[in-house]
Amino acid sequence: MHSNRINIPQLHSRIKTAEDAAGLFKDKMVVASSGFTKAGDSKAVLKALAARAANDPLQITLITGASLGHGTDGLLAANHVLAKRMPFQVDPVLRRSINEGEVLFLDQHLGESAELINEGIVPIDIAIIEAVKINEDGSLVPTTSVGNSPAFAAAAKQIIVEINTSVPLSLEGVHDIFSAGIWPSRKIIPITETGTRIGNSSIQVDPSKIVAIVLTETTDSPAQINERDEKTRAIANHLLEFFNHEIKKGRLLPSLRPLQSGIGKVANAVMEGFIDGNFHNLTMYSEVIQDSAFNLIDAGKLAFASASSITVSQECYQRVFNNFERYKPYLILRPQDISNAAEVIHRLGVISINTAIECDIYGNVNSTHIGGTHMMNGIGGSNDFARNAYMSVFVTQSSSKAGISHIVPMASHIDNTEHDVDIFVTENGLADLRGLAPREKARLIINNCAHVSYRDELNEYFNNACKAGGQTPHLLQEALSWHTRLKENGTMLKTNPVEF
């Protein structure tokens, strides 16, 4: 029974129901779960734990690779299981609990979260890891993500394995598991090309730590990939035109440099744009492989993609995993401390493309907080890449709803500073900020990227700030007044907004 999935006969006796496995958790435990952007996450045990907590209250600290799928975070929050959550989430129920102060949330760079585990700063009591199979030596073949699972497996006192039989065995071999170790014996990460393999195809595990095996057959939550609209097409066109300009200047080749793209509709729109452009032999060194990457492979444009997870729509999931051998030669999945490693990102000269909630006139980017206080999702890996990339690009629409500008005098929260933002793009235009001083950046961002309804007020603010002086001129008594007006009047404008 399941001999092709559990290759240590002695472990067959540890097969349990999700409910029985959930009984292993105790109050105040630190629990780790595989999962990165809804891929390769716990699909049974954490849900069973949420159900148990409805009648048998307990609270845990939960750390993952990134976000979980299938509403699991929301179920845990609704049943008051979570005392603390890290390092990333996208669930609306959990988000509300975080912003109401019911759940403590540690928003952390995804490339650095494993270090808390490796150094023993956050000890792990139980790790839940989704796997394709358990090998004869006890090692685990992950499913559609790697994330922090290697660090979890090494540090956890006990391990629960969810064997997902819906995931084809052909995934074996796509993973590249490597650890640089900890100080003072940290190793060089010898990745010199996006496809360089440096590790093992499975996660080493001490079989004696496996206390339960739960069988599942649920596929990953599908990504919501919205159709490209007028704004996202415009953003993509501005950026692709810029890349063509850089090629003509001799600073880039038609293969560009390895691409990193944040998750979401704007990122997908940009990546999809490469299909029609005069680009070829593209590569990716990123966190997440999305629909657009597989479309680029099918179009003969993408030569290779390295990431930590595969997060795709339902249609794309069926296309890829029903014929995985076709795509396997183009892919590699790594631990997130390797996919997001500063050393590798800098060496490969990555072009990073990430999304902003808002940007101020000097190029400081808020990626995480609405109104400076309320968490949206988290910083994710955007700063891992922005800080170390050859070219750091941030994109957003210039305005949303009536009365909200995404370009403001001063960002209400700053995740990526002006020092790490090279290119800023909205549907209105592109600002190349490289080599510019703050006063030069401000004029360019306002006049190239801001919505026309806000340009006069932004220029008025900037002119008055310049009169007051400073290398980075600001009027502190007015800098956040736009956010105040939005909260009090429902618009950032002093006057009634025009049609958006």
Side-chain angles (χ1 to χ4, degrees):
M1 180 181 180
H2 309 296
S3 58
N4 63 338
R5 298 276 182 169
I6 305 170
N7 290 286
I8 300 179
Q10 297 91 322
L11 291 181
H12 290 182
S13 62
R14 299 180 199 174
I15 296 175
K16 300 180 184 292
T17 66
E19 291 72 23
D20 286 341
L24 298 170
F25 297 90
K26 298 178 182 178
D27 191 40
K28 296 183 172 57
M29 273 188 167
V30 178
V31 176
S33 173
S34 63
F36 194 102
T37 56
K38 301 184 179 183
D41 56 330
S42 166
K43 298 175 176 66
V45 175
L46 286 178
K47 283 193 170 186
L49 179 62
R52 170 194 160 188
N55 299 310
D56 181 16
L58 78 163
Q59 286 201 311
I60 64 170
T61 291
L62 178 62
I63 179 169
T64 60
S67 54
L68 300 174
H70 296 286
T72 301
D73 266 326
L75 288 171
L76 292 167
N79 286 289
H80 310 289
V81 179
L82 300 178
K84 184 184 289 187
R85 179 76 169 87
M86 61 182 86
F88 189 80
Q89 57 76 44
V90 297
D91 189 276
V93 177
L94 175 56
R95 184 183 302 127
R96 183 166 58 250
S97 295
I98 290 168
N99 289 320
E100 290 175 355
E102 294 176 2
V103 177
L104 298 175
F105 181 62
L106 174 56
D107 182 26
Q108 190 181 33
H109 303 303
L110 297 187
E112 297 180 1
S113 56
E115 194 163 5
L116 288 177
I117 312 303
N118 296 336
E119 298 280 357
I121 296 169
V122 179
I124 304 298
D125 293 302
I126 296 181
I128 311 163
I129 299 176
E130 185 182 72
V132 173
K133 61 184 285 195
I134 302 174
N135 289 324
E136 291 83 355
D137 62 355
S139 63
L140 306 180
V141 177
T143 58
T144 49
S145 73
V146 180
N148 280 325
S149 293
F152 295 157
K157 298 171 188 173
Q158 297 180 315
I159 296 172
I160 299 171
V161 181
E162 290 193 16
I163 296 292
N164 193 330
T165 58
S166 75
V167 180
L169 288 166
S170 57
L171 248 71
E172 185 172 12
V174 78
H175 310 93
D176 189 49
I177 312 301
F178 176 88
S179 172
I182 60 174
W183 184 90
S185 302
R186 195 184 300 274
K187 294 175 286 190
I188 291 170
I189 304 173
I191 296 174
T192 55
E193 297 179 349
T194 56
T196 305
R197 286 189 168 274
I198 59 174
N200 301 313
S201 60
S202 57
I203 299 171
Q204 297 303 304
V205 169
D206 177 357
S208 67
K209 294 202 297 185
I210 298 176
V211 294
I213 299 170
V214 177
L215 303 176
T216 71
E217 54 181 7
T218 303
T219 58
D220 291 334
S221 284
Q224 300 300 315
I225 305 298
N226 297 326
E227 292 293 324
R228 287 187 285 175
D229 57 23
E230 184 178 346
K231 287 186 177 182
T232 56
R233 286 179 187 274
I235 290 170
N237 289 339
H238 290 312
L239 191 51
L240 296 174
E241 182 181 345
F242 171 76
F243 287 148
N244 280 317
H245 170 77
E246 291 294 288
I247 291 170
K248 290 177 182 177
K249 288 290 186 179
R251 290 189 283 262
L252 290 175
L253 297 173
S255 57
L256 303 179
R257 298 193 184 198
L259 299 165
Q260 177 264 333
S261 174
I263 196 164
K265 67 177 184 179
V266 176
N268 253 295
V270 172
M271 294 301 294
E272 292 280 1
F274 287 116
I275 292 176
D276 301 321
N278 188 28
F279 307 98
H280 54 79
N281 290 323
L282 297 169
T283 59
M284 290 184 67
Y285 192 83
S286 192
E287 300 170 292
V288 182
I289 300 173
Q290 301 181 80
D291 286 40
S292 53
F294 292 103
N295 294 339
L296 285 165
I297 291 172
D298 288 341
K301 296 282 189 174
L302 185 64
F304 203 86
S306 168
S308 194
S309 77
I310 298 172
T311 303
V312 292
S313 67
Q314 184 65 41
E315 180 279 326
C316 188
Y317 190 97
Q318 296 298 326
R319 169 163 49 107
V320 170
F321 290 101
N322 287 340
N323 188 24
F324 193 71
E325 293 292 353
R326 166 183 170 13
Y327 296 99
K328 190 173 180 178
Y330 296 90
L331 308 174
I332 196 167
L333 295 180
R334 310 182 191 274
Q336 66 194 68
D337 56 336
I338 304 300
S339 68
N340 292 38
E343 172 190 350
V344 182
I345 294 165
H346 182 71
R347 180 185 300 126
L348 297 183
V350 170
I351 297 172
S352 72
I353 306 169
N354 289 289
T355 304
I357 288 176
E358 64 182 4
C359 176
D360 70 24
I361 59 176
Y362 297 112
N364 297 293
V365 166
N366 171 12
S367 303
T368 58
H369 285 74
I370 304 298
T373 59
H374 281 56
M375 172 59 63
M376 189 62 184
N377 298 328
I379 193 170
S382 63
N383 191 262
D384 293 327
F385 285 91
R387 178 68 187 90
N388 300 290
Y390 160 73
M391 182 187 295
S392 171
V393 180
F394 278 88
V395 300
T396 187
Q397 55 186 352
S398 65
S399 62
S400 63
K401 305 176 182 176
I404 300 177
S405 175
H406 291 272
I407 298 174
V408 293
M410 178 182 280
S412 59
H413 178 92
I414 295 174
D415 297 289
N416 293 278
T417 73
E418 58 179 296
H419 312 289
D420 300 328
V421 180
D422 297 316
I423 311 294
F424 190 74
V425 195
T426 70
E427 76 278 10
N428 296 316
L430 181 147
D432 182 353
L433 307 177
R434 296 173 298 175
L436 301 185
R439 293 185 184 219
E440 295 173 301
K441 291 180 181 180
R443 290 292 187 209
L444 202 60
I445 291 172
I446 293 170
N447 294 323
N448 283 20
C449 301
H451 192 282
V452 64
S453 299
Y454 297 94
R455 286 182 191 167
D456 288 346
E457 290 188 25
L458 286 168
N459 276 312
E460 179 185 6
Y461 172 87
F462 178 61
N463 291 334
N464 290 335
C466 287
K467 292 175 185 176
Q471 186 261 354
T472 305
H474 267 303
L475 301 172
L476 294 183
Q477 68 275 23
E478 296 182 22
L480 296 175
S481 63
W482 288 42
H483 299 86
T484 303
R485 286 202 297 267
L486 177 63
K487 187 174 182 179
E488 293 177 350
N489 304 325
T491 176
M492 288 183 171
L493 288 167
K494 293 178 182 177
T495 56
N496 291 329
V498 298
E499 182 67 31
F500 284 82

